[in-house]
Amino acid sequence: YRDRGVSVVRSSRYPELNTTQRFATEFERSRHFSWVSDLGKKTDYRITLDGSRVVELFYGRRQEVPTVGEAIAGASGISHLAAAWVPTLLMPAAIPGSGLLPAFRRASSSSRLPDQEAGGQQCFVVQAQDIRLQVRVWIGRRDFLVRRVEHRSEGRDVVTTTDYTPGTDISLDP
């Protein structure tokens, strides 16, 4: 699995949160995982895992962390959860308790919404909501790949929309 994407955070009440960041994910089952974001700054954030090797976390400097789950947790905060959505679907055992599946499990309500387009693809749209968070997911009707995730924090007008362009033969910059 490979993707490139962009995550946009918008808030009229909290304009200091307004950000746009690009990212990429690369995953080969049991062999390789990498998530890279430019964070819209001069430095980037990189998470890599190769086979059974220790996860390496880069953010201006190299730092080793014990698990990919801890690395994703660190990236999730600064990426407004963009780092967690797809990797937690790819590696649910390595990253338990976060991401889309737990959000739907914890939801007080969930529903299927009318189909919509995202990234030029017709998509199923599903929604989960609890007292803290509302999450909508656009899933490609043809390939069942995640095309968009939108989440809203309850009590705040903060909306994060993460668009994915999944594909093959997309390599991450070294």
Side-chain angles (χ1 to χ4, degrees):
Y1 174 87
R2 292 180 174 96
D3 70 30
R4 291 195 181 278
V6 63
S7 185
V8 179
V9 179
R10 293 291 173 252
S11 173
S12 59
R13 189 171 176 192
Y14 304 98
E16 66 276 9
L17 295 179
N18 292 346
T19 58
T20 299
Q21 64 186 126
R22 300 192 181 289
F23 63 89
T25 308
E26 189 172 74
F27 177 76
E28 185 178 348
R29 189 172 307 282
S30 301
R31 301 181 114 206
H32 175 77
F33 167 74
S34 181
W35 185 84
V36 180
S37 174
D38 68 2
L39 300 176
K41 300 176 184 174
K42 293 179 181 176
T43 58
D44 63 6
Y45 196 102
R46 296 175 183 260
I47 300 169
T48 59
L49 170 65
D50 284 311
S52 61
R53 287 180 47 207
V54 174
V55 175
E56 298 170 340
L57 174 65
F58 294 83
Y59 184 56
R61 68 185 193 286
R62 179 182 170 153
Q63 178 182 339
E64 293 185 3
V65 294
T67 67
V68 70
E70 289 183 37
I72 291 292
S76 294
I78 60 173
S79 71
H80 296 276
L81 297 176
W85 300 131
V86 167
T88 58
L89 292 174
L90 296 171
M91 302 176 292
I95 313 169
S98 63
L100 292 174
L101 295 176
F104 274 82
R105 285 187 197 119
R106 287 190 306 265
S108 55
S109 68
S110 60
S111 57
R112 179 163 177 222
L113 303 176
D115 292 357
Q116 294 180 4
E117 185 179 304
Q121 302 290 319
Q122 280 300 113
C123 296
F124 303 110
V125 182
V126 293
Q127 175 178 285
Q129 187 165 344
D130 66 20
I131 60 171
R132 299 174 308 160
L133 189 69
Q134 177 191 67
V135 179
R136 288 186 182 173
V137 183
W138 283 252
I139 302 165
R141 290 179 58 153
R142 193 182 81 242
D143 55 17
F144 301 103
L145 294 173
V146 173
R147 299 293 175 159
R148 174 178 291 155
V149 176
E150 176 186 279
H151 78 276
R152 297 174 179 267
S153 300
E154 289 296 315
R156 299 173 75 185
D157 73 335
V158 180
V159 179
T160 303
T161 303
T162 305
D163 286 303
Y164 297 88
T165 305
T168 58
D169 299 327
I170 299 172
S171 62
L172 299 176
D173 298 331

